Amino acid sequence: MPTTATPTQDDPEALTRLLLAGGPASSRRQLLQAHGSAAAALAAGSEAWHAAGLDAGQRAALRGGDNSRALATAMDWLARPGHHVIACTDPDYPPLLRDAPGAPLGLFIAGDPALLWHPMVAVVGSRNPSAAGREHATAFSRAFARAGFGIASGLALGIDACAHAAALDADAPTVAVLGCGPDIAYPAANAALLARIAGHGAVVSEFPPGTRPLREYFPARNRIVAALSLGTLVVEAALRSGALITARLAADAGREVFAIPGSLHNPMARGCHRLIREGAALVESPDEVIATLKPVAHVLAHALHGRLHGPTSCAEPPSAAPGVDPERDNPDYNRLWEALGHDPTDMDRLVARTGLTTAEVSSMLLLMELEGRVLVEHGRYSRTSATTRPRGAGRGK
C-alpha cells in the first residue's frame, strides 16, 4: 500500500476521529496517505477533504458532527494500559494485512501490536463441533505453537475457543479478531477467554470500542483473520458456515487453505469435504500444515525480527529471501543462543533465561530452526549437533 508521505506514529484522537467518520474507506485512505498522519489530514481542512473524495457526511463528521459520545468512549478505552489504535500507514501495522485486499484503515488493539507480525495459522470451524473436532483443534493448535507459529481465530464458541485456549496454554502468541468493538466480549461466554488473550496475546478489531456485534460485521472480521495468517485450517464446518467464508477469503488473499476430513455421517465434516473438492489441502496431521507454511514463514519471521529491533517503513515492508542470515551481532539473538544448549529446553525456561518476551523468543527460534541451527521436539528446543555459534555470539551480552 504505497504512501505519498512518510508514515509516522499517529495521534490517537485524530486517528479515531478519522475512523469514526464512516463512509467509504477509500477516500479516507487517500486523505491519510496524502498527508502522512491523521493529525495532518484533519488539519488540512475541508477543501483537502473534498479533494480526497470525502462526501458531505464524512466532512461533517470530521468537523465534529455527532460522534462526540463515540469518540469519548473510544478515548476512554485507549487511555487504559495496553490499548492501542494504529493506522494502515503506521510502521506497526501488520504487513500481511496491509498487502491484503480491503485492508482496514485502522485497527484497535488490546495487547501487544507486535504479535500481529508473528507467523500465524488461522484455526477456524464450527461453533458446535463434535468431541473429536475439539480434540483436533486443540492438538493441531498445540503442535503449531510448538513449531513456533501463533494462532489466529475469531473468538467464537467451539473450534475458535479451543484454538485460542490451546495457544494460551502453550504460552504461544494468539490473536482474536472481533466482529464488534474490542471492549465487548462476544459471545459473553468467552469473556474470561477474551481477558486472557488481551493479557497474553492480542485482541483486534477494526470497529471502535462500544460497537455492538452485528451479523454483517462477521464476514469483515473473517477477512482479517484470513489475511493476518499464512494459512487457514478448517477443522469442522457445516455446509453453511462462517469458517467456509474465512477459507474463501484466505484463498482470495493468496493464502494456503487446509481442511481436516471427517466421517461421512458427521454433518460438521461436510464443509471440509466441500473445501477439499474445491482445492483445499487435505491434512491428517499438523506436520503437513507446518511443512507447507514454514518456507513462507521465513520471510515474515525476518520482518518481525527487524521490526522488534528497529523502525520499519510501512511503505517498504521488510523482506528477506529464504536462507539469508539475520544479524548475528544482535545482543538479543546472542542472548537466546547462549541460553540454548544441546539438552532440550522448553519455552518458559528460555524466556526466563533471556528476559525476552515469548513473542521475541519464538520468532528467533523459528528463524534458527528454519536455518537448521535448532531442533524442536515436543515443545523443547536444542542446538543441532552440527551447528556453530552465530557470528558475534558472546558479544554484547
Side-chain angles (χ1 to χ4, degrees):
M1 187 179 299
T3 60
T4 56
T6 301
T8 61
Q9 297 287 341
D10 218 330
D11 174 69
E13 181 172 346
L15 177 55
T16 302
R17 285 182 181 275
L18 189 64
L19 297 176
L20 288 171
S26 57
S27 55
R28 288 177 290 155
R29 191 185 312 275
Q30 180 179 332
L31 180 69
L32 182 59
Q33 291 175 338
H35 295 278
S37 72
L42 265 61
S46 188
E47 289 188 9
W49 304 342
H50 187 273
L54 273 69
D55 60 32
Q58 291 175 309
R59 298 197 300 271
L62 292 185
R63 285 192 292 267
D66 298 323
N67 288 334
S68 57
R69 179 174 297 179
L71 180 63
T73 298
M75 296 313 297
D76 178 68
W77 184 85
L78 286 168
R80 301 171 195 170
H83 291 180
H84 315 269
V85 60
I86 59 175
C88 63
T89 50
D90 192 297
D92 281 333
Y93 196 87
L96 286 179
L97 184 57
R98 181 174 54 240
D99 296 336
L105 188 64
L107 298 172
F108 292 91
I109 302 168
D112 184 0
L115 294 185
L116 276 62
W117 287 64
H118 195 92
M120 293 274 169
V121 182
V123 179
V124 298
S126 172
R127 289 174 171 81
N128 298 291
S130 66
R134 292 178 182 275
E135 291 173 358
H136 290 328
T138 299
F140 272 69
S141 297
R142 284 176 178 166
F144 298 153
R146 289 195 299 267
F149 291 93
I151 303 298
S153 200
L155 199 76
L157 295 172
I159 296 300
D160 290 19
C162 290
H164 287 306
L168 289 168
D169 291 344
D171 197 24
T174 188
V175 173
V177 185
L178 307 187
C180 55
D183 57 331
I184 295 175
Y186 183 82
N190 280 344
L193 180 59
L194 179 67
R196 286 184 68 196
I197 297 171
H200 301 282
V203 175
V204 180
S205 179
E206 65 180 312
F207 303 106
T211 303
R212 307 303 303 178
L214 296 176
R215 185 183 184 90
E216 57 266 31
Y217 292 164
F218 289 95
R221 173 205 63 180
N222 293 350
R223 90 185 191 285
I224 298 176
V225 172
L228 279 175
S229 307
L230 296 174
T232 293
L233 171 69
V234 182
V235 177
E236 279 189 343
L239 286 175
R240 295 177 60 86
S241 168
L244 299 192
I245 296 175
T246 306
R248 177 179 58 79
L249 293 168
D252 290 346
R255 307 291 192 265
E256 300 285 346
V257 178
F258 309 92
I260 300 175
S263 167
L264 297 176
H265 306 291
N266 178 8
M268 291 298 113
R270 291 173 186 166
C272 292
H273 295 166
R274 169 181 286 180
L275 289 174
I276 293 167
R277 287 195 298 271
E278 293 175 351
L282 184 158
V283 293
E284 298 174 311
S285 76
D287 290 343
E288 295 171 277
V289 178
I290 293 166
T292 301
L293 294 184
K294 273 201 170 179
V296 188
H298 200 136
V299 170
L300 186 60
H302 274 287
L304 174 63
H305 180 78
R307 183 67 193 114
L308 287 170
H309 301 291
T312 300
S313 167
C314 76
E316 298 180 3
S319 62
V324 175
D325 287 341
E327 294 183 25
R328 302 301 187 208
D329 291 335
N330 183 285
D332 290 344
Y333 192 102
N334 293 326
R335 194 183 316 161
L336 176 58
W337 182 255
E338 294 296 333
L340 281 164
H342 294 290
D343 294 325
T345 307
D346 61 30
M347 178 72 72
D348 288 342
R349 185 163 298 182
L350 291 173
V351 169
R353 287 177 180 177
T354 61
L356 301 171
T357 67
T358 301
E360 290 171 323
V361 170
S362 59
S363 68
M364 287 186 275
L365 285 172
L366 180 59
L367 280 176
M368 292 179 184
E369 185 185 357
L370 289 167
E371 293 166 350
R373 297 175 179 275
V374 166
L375 290 174
V376 56
E377 294 179 337
H378 308 296
R380 296 175 180 269
Y381 300 84
S382 60
R383 299 181 189 181
T384 58
S385 58
T387 195
T388 57
R389 69 170 51 199
R391 294 192 307 271
R395 301 199 308 263
K397 291 193 292 180

